[in-house]
Amino acid sequence: MPLFAASRKVYPQSVSGPFRRAKWLILFLCLGIYYLLPFLRWDRGPHLPDQAVLADIANGRFYFFFIEIWPQEVYYFTGLLILASFVLFLMNAVAGRVWCGYLCPQTVWTDLFLAVERFFEGDRRERMRRDEAPWSADKLWRKSAKHAVWLVIAWWTGGAWVLYFADAPTLVRELATFTAPISAYVWIAILTFTTYSLAGIMREQVCKFMCPWPRIQAALTDDEALNVTYRYDRGEPRVSVKQAQKLRAQGAPAGDCIDCHQCVAVCPTGIDIRDGAQVDCIQCGLCIDACDTVMARIGRPTRLIAYDTETNVKRRMAGKPAIYRPLRVRTLIYAALIVVVGGAMLWQLATRRTADISVLHERAPLFVTLSDGSIRNAYAVRLLNKRPQVRPFALTVAGLPGIRIDAVGIAPTADLRPVVTVDPDSSREVRVLVTVPAGVPLEASQAITITASDLFAGETVRATDHFMAPGAKP
Amino acid sequence: MDQRHDAPEIDPVTGHATTGHEWDGIRELNTPLPRWWLGIFYATIIWSFGYWIVYPAWPLLTDATRGVIGYATRSDITVQMNELKAQRAALAAGMTEATPAQIKADPKLFQIATAQGKAAFGDNCAACHGVGGAGAKGYPNLNDDDWLWGGSLDTIMQTLRHGIRVAGNDDTRVSQMPAFGRDGLLKRGEINAVANHVRELAGLPTEPKADLALGRKLFADNCAACHGPAGKGNQELGAPNLTDAISLYGMDMASLTETIGNSRNGVMPAWGGRLDETTLKALTVYVHSLGGGQ
């Protein structure tokens, strides 16, 4: 005896209409970008990779067109994730789960896999009939061909993924000659398996059982959000076409819904939208296309199922006109947050420097008394050069009378400034000694500023730290 | 599907079958978990049996089951340590050839040497000289610019290799300051006078009743041979400069009379036989880079 009832297999029927066309368009757009983007080139100069989008894990760099992100700048990704959540919230507040229905990778790949299935096994009825029929040569070759094409798509999906982590043309050649790193093959295998099983086999069950968004979305939505809605004010009571004509002739009320179940047949998650808004609905709008076709055929107004709000259905029931309020407190707050977070990120990106300095005071010892009585502190100074050229940085220090700076292993210039050269697109740490002559009155701790100036480009970065003197406690 | 002859109860509101379970009048709907989900769940349970057999798993009274492949975290560590050693050997290869001066001139070797030297310093030197070479009373601070035996790469390497006052090592650094009090060379009052003169040399206040003239004469007779007439010291002999702002054993009266009366003869081990050449070089370069290197 099974612990639970088996889930019902969904056989979505093909459908045509504006929403289906929108989905095809988005599918080609998204997959086109995903598969081709790694091959887009972007000239960054002689020392840097020329791939437009590249996650260079080995060298700790992420390249996105003109943006180059260093490991210590991963907060940009945090910002992007926050931004993505707000955009998702806003989309949800305005038009429900448009993400799920049109943009979610699960939806996009499932759509593609369904198209392959239809190509080999036919539409809904034919597939159902074939699944019930005993195995035959015809059934075998159709099923095999379907799975083979699925596997090719899944394999290519995993293949495209690894291209984002290395120079794409080189990696393609390496993959073909079996000289690529083993991790590339492992990742392709993993993603082939997940794409095949998620988009080919699990499909709507991913949305229903694995994805957390339906639960979160249900908590975020309200009656004013546009959702795929069955207008029961117009559809009920459900009667046949003939019955409806008869009733209307008598002046009696008759609904437009003829209970043809087309909306159920085309639904990729296998639900009946006429049961109202529900967690299984990904709001792809295919039921709208299906219902519109039927309405046109029986000569009734289209959009019996439409993007509509719960509020409007109730208002029409009460005889009031429909109202749409996309500008609500909820949507305005989300929009404002998007502007604030996006603006902050853009500002940060626009004002980011191509050089950086970080200073770490050495703690053992906190300070050293030299033979002439002067006091010296040591610091680990790290200089970052994000440009593709070698850059010389002159170090200076300020904050106390007679204060002097030296870098271990680097001869100072005539004006006593040590000049540290940093290689292109890298960082260099130097041990820096800061000395204050004897006789300068010193507190246990005082602030000083260490400045690094690019001798050619003139860019200047500075950092403040403390200068410790006798009396300081470790 | 449920094949029991008693048909499942149907929930009137949703039309779903129920499990027949009821709590406080609420009936549980029989909402199916997907088969693949259950399949994975059962597979993980079966998989765990494999773990029990393959890996050490079950605690016994005095031991634990060993597992059939002989896996142990300890053997993992041995493998990793060997890999690490091989890696380090490749890095250190360049250092076996180079002299400390060449290492210092090559930025890449310098980086490796200071990193390796820092680790070796922590293991061998930090116990006396402190982490970072800050030193303590009697243990020289290696960050300052005052060197008893010289602060060049060669002299540091020599001190490291042969140590200081190491019995049986012919090349060890030796300086013998007599114990003027204990050996009866100077009387108590004379020691006090010399101590006051040393403070005078260093520019420190002297005791009001001190016989500075006696101190000056005794210093010239007994101390100047090593420390120089002006007390500036001599690195050849390991005699410290008494006039600078740094002292190894303290410049207060009590410390000075103790030093003059009983002498101080600190010992540093010779690391020549204990550490390999590459590590000695790395230590030399690291100590030199602390800031006092000449």
Side-chain angles (χ1 to χ4, degrees), chain A residues 29-76:
Chain A
L29 217 61
C30 289
L31 291 184
I33 291 172
Y34 174 73
Y35 288 125
L36 299 176
L37 195 56
F39 295 97
L40 192 63
R41 301 287 102 181
W42 192 271
D43 186 21
R44 291 190 182 84
H47 297 286
L48 299 173
D50 63 351
Q51 186 158 322
V53 179
L54 177 68
D56 190 352
I57 305 288
N59 298 309
R61 298 283 184 277
F62 183 82
Y63 303 96
F64 189 81
F65 296 96
F66 63 96
I67 303 170
E68 178 189 331
I69 292 181
W70 284 44
Q72 63 268 40
E73 294 173 317
V74 284
Y75 54 76
Y76 281 114

Side-chain angles (χ1 to χ4, degrees), chain A residues 402-419:
Chain A
I403 194 165
R404 214 183 76 224
I405 190 166
D406 294 292
V408 171
I410 290 162
T413 54
D415 55 356
L416 295 178
R417 294 186 304 170
V419 176

Side-chain angles (χ1 to χ4, degrees), chain B residues 71-159:
Chain B
Y71 169 84
T73 45
R74 196 174 282 264
S75 50
D76 249 19
I77 283 183
T78 316
V79 171
Q80 283 169 9
M81 290 299 283
N82 288 337
E83 278 172 10
L84 190 70
K85 271 180 197 155
Q87 254 177 12
R88 290 231 173 116
L91 284 174
M95 285 176 51
T96 29
E97 307 292 316
T99 65
Q102 284 166 336
I103 292 171
K104 196 182 160 234
D106 181 335
K108 193 158 180 218
L109 280 180
F110 181 73
Q111 203 186 351
I112 296 165
T114 43
Q116 198 192 339
K118 189 172 186 173
F121 191 90
D123 289 347
N124 301 293
C125 317
C128 293
H129 290 284
V131 180
K137 186 169 179 170
Y139 302 97
N141 183 343
L142 305 173
N143 290 269
D144 63 27
D145 58 343
D146 195 20
W147 294 90
L148 284 172
W149 299 97
S152 68
L153 287 165
D154 287 345
T155 51
I156 292 173
M157 183 95 168
Q158 169 79 7
T159 308

